[in-house]
Amino acid sequence: DQQVKQNSPSLSVQEGRISILNCDYTNSMFDYFLWYKKYPAEGPTFLISISSIKDKNEDGRFTVFLNKSAKHLSLHIVPSQPGDSAVYFCASVFNKFYFGSGTKLNVKP
Amino acid sequence: GAGVSQSPSNKVTEKGKDVELRCDPISGHTALYWYRQSLGQGLEFLIYFQGNSAPDKSGLPSDRFSAERTGGSVSTLTIQRTQQEDSAVYLCASSAGGGGRETQYFGPGTRLLVL
């Protein structure tokens, strides 16, 4: 029973364009959400987070949007750069972390 | 280095053998987590330590899996009588506290292949 779902296993975007990564969750008790980025042969690294009391959090090129009524969050990267190519995991938190299966982003030069 | 380290980085073993995976968390981090990522899957929670105790072992898939943490630091994940379905990347993470919202810092993982 996967409580956090990333339905797109991969996404390809042209450099300079916007990347939008999506994540859906089922448990309304989740109150904190994070995005992690993972390069091959490395562990995931924290990217950005958002509390359930907010609907948007921005950090440079990265913005996370939270739609609680739809139980949906998204990560926007703009402009996308080739170095952003990685696997992106969303995580939802209620007492512990629940991770999605990841979306592999490829930013083409 | 100041990050989370894991050893070995890669492990190939034969079905039925026992393996031990080690995690060195960031110094001073009281919480330690083990996850598993199978091919094409997300990060599957295994176990969480707060200090040396494990308040949440709910993710351990079977009694062949066990983990311990000593001195509030190093943790060892042991898999007995390994099976081919145990093949995965085993990731360790640590955080400064265990309140659930603390950012977790991950190690590079141990890639386990059971033949």
Side-chain angles (χ1 to χ4, degrees), chain B residues 1-77:
Chain B
V4 177
S5 61
Q6 292 184 245
S7 61
S9 55
N10 292 282
K11 177 71 176 179
V12 181
T13 191
E14 292 179 348
K15 177 181 171 181
K17 296 284 181 72
D18 297 352
V19 295
E20 280 191 357
L21 312 179
R22 178 187 167 107
C23 172
D24 282 271
I26 292 173
S27 178
H29 279 192
T30 59
L32 187 147
Y33 308 81
W34 282 99
Y35 294 88
R36 174 170 77 171
Q37 185 182 16
S38 302
L39 192 63
Q41 303 296 312
L43 297 173
E44 176 189 4
F45 168 81
L46 297 178
I47 188 169
Y48 152 61
F49 286 93
Q50 183 62 247
N52 291 334
S53 63
D56 190 347
K57 305 179 184 179
S58 62
L60 293 178
S62 76
D63 59 8
R64 295 185 297 104
F65 287 72
S66 63
E68 65 175 14
R69 190 179 185 195
T70 54
S73 181
V74 172
S75 176
T76 303
L77 177 69

Side-chain angles (χ1 to χ4, degrees), chain A residues 23-34:
Chain A
C23 180
D24 296 292
Y25 60 95
T26 57
N27 190 340
S28 58
M29 298 298 289
F30 289 140
D31 60 358
Y32 192 60
F33 305 87
L34 308 92

Side-chain angles (χ1 to χ4, degrees), chain A residues 89-106:
Chain A
F89 291 96
C90 66
S92 303
V93 182
F94 175 62
N95 293 330
K96 65 184 181 186
F97 281 45
Y98 296 82
F99 285 89
S101 54
T103 296
K104 185 175 183 179
L105 173 66
N106 179 34

Side-chain angles (χ1 to χ4, degrees), chain A residues 2 16-17 23 36 38 48 56 63 71 83 86 105:
Chain A
Q2 209 170 353
R17 299 289 183 94
C23 180
Y36 278 77
K38 183 181 185 301
I48 192 169
K56 177 183 175 181
T63 303
K71 295 191 180 71
L105 173 66

